[in-house]
Amino acid sequence: MLSKKMQDAINAQINAELWSAYLYLSMSMDASNKGLKGVANWFRVQFQEEQAHAEILMNYLLSRGAEVKLAPIAEVPLVWASPLAAFEDTLAHEQKVTAMIDSLYRLAAEENDYATSNMLTWFVDEQVEEEENARDLIDQFRMVGDNKLGQYMIDKELAARVYVAPSVLADK
Ligand code: MG
């Protein structure tokens, strides 16, 4: 059985993943408002990914006979100065999420909770990818700077991103 402390910590992580979803949805809407269809698409897919992260954690709590407690989702920013600024915020946010996952992992280790440790391994790997993706896009937008054609090319490339469920653990 999961400890009360672990249940609370996973519920807090569910809220953080849903906040992430809301943040990226807001970035998507802001990009749409500015005619950046590709950036909007990229963040819309990211919004779906974050929902899948929350689903994995909800499914895990349910499979352990624990209660999912959905807390209110805090407000998110609505406007970003540029796609570069949005991706810089994305990286900073994902670094915070990585730290949260790491402390969950530490708690699981302290409690000798092997099942939770195994489940969290997926998130540890996922965070490496999330940070790398944000870093790559920051590099690309920095590379083109104020060059409109360059920005157009990146936007076009981001329009091709398609949502693929990140893990079967999100299904149920
Ligand atoms: Mg996430």
Side-chain angles (χ1 to χ4, degrees):
M1 197 183 140
L2 291 178
S3 72
K4 170 80 169 63
K5 198 173 172 186
M6 182 56 81
Q7 290 184 40
D8 290 347
I10 293 175
N11 272 307
Q13 190 65 38
I14 290 168
N15 188 264
E17 299 296 343
L18 292 173
W19 190 84
S20 303
Y22 207 41
L23 174 70
Y24 298 137
L25 182 62
S26 185
M27 287 177 175
S28 176
M29 294 302 113
D30 182 45
S32 279
N33 290 337
K34 290 165 179 158
L36 295 157
K37 282 190 178 172
V39 175
N41 174 64
W42 196 93
F43 280 115
R44 188 69 85 103
V45 171
Q46 199 59 26
F47 160 64
Q48 290 174 283
E49 275 225 4
E50 297 303 334
Q51 290 176 81
H53 294 169
E55 302 234 29
I56 293 169
L57 295 165
M58 292 189 284
N59 287 339
Y60 180 70
L61 283 183
L62 295 174
S63 70
R64 302 299 308 274
E67 208 178 323
V68 173
K69 289 181 183 161
L70 297 177
I73 300 169
E75 215 175 325
V76 291
L78 300 175
V79 176
W80 283 265
S82 63
L84 175 61
F87 285 110
E88 283 171 342
D89 277 8
T90 298
L91 177 60
H93 177 61
E94 289 302 330
Q95 286 168 336
K96 277 185 210 157
V97 175
T98 299
M100 291 180 76
I101 296 291
D102 287 352
S103 64
L104 267 180
Y105 201 89
R106 211 172 302 122
L107 177 63
E110 276 163 21
E111 296 193 350
N112 296 323
D113 182 345
Y114 305 114
T116 302
S117 290
N118 273 358
M119 183 275 296
L120 288 172
T121 301
W122 184 87
F123 281 91
V124 171
D125 293 341
E126 178 72 4
Q127 283 311 118
V128 173
E129 207 182 295
E130 297 287 27
E131 288 189 27
E132 186 184 10
N133 290 341
R135 213 174 285 118
D136 282 352
L137 288 163
I138 289 169
D139 286 345
Q140 288 187 41
F141 276 105
R142 281 190 185 151
M143 216 179 290
V144 301
D146 291 332
N147 184 295
K148 294 284 175 210
L149 180 61
Q151 290 177 6
Y152 172 78
M153 298 293 281
I154 301 173
D155 190 68
K156 220 172 163 184
E157 203 178 299
L158 298 187
R161 187 182 186 194
V162 176
Y163 175 70
V164 180
S167 164
V168 290
L169 298 173
D171 303 338
K172 206 164 229 182

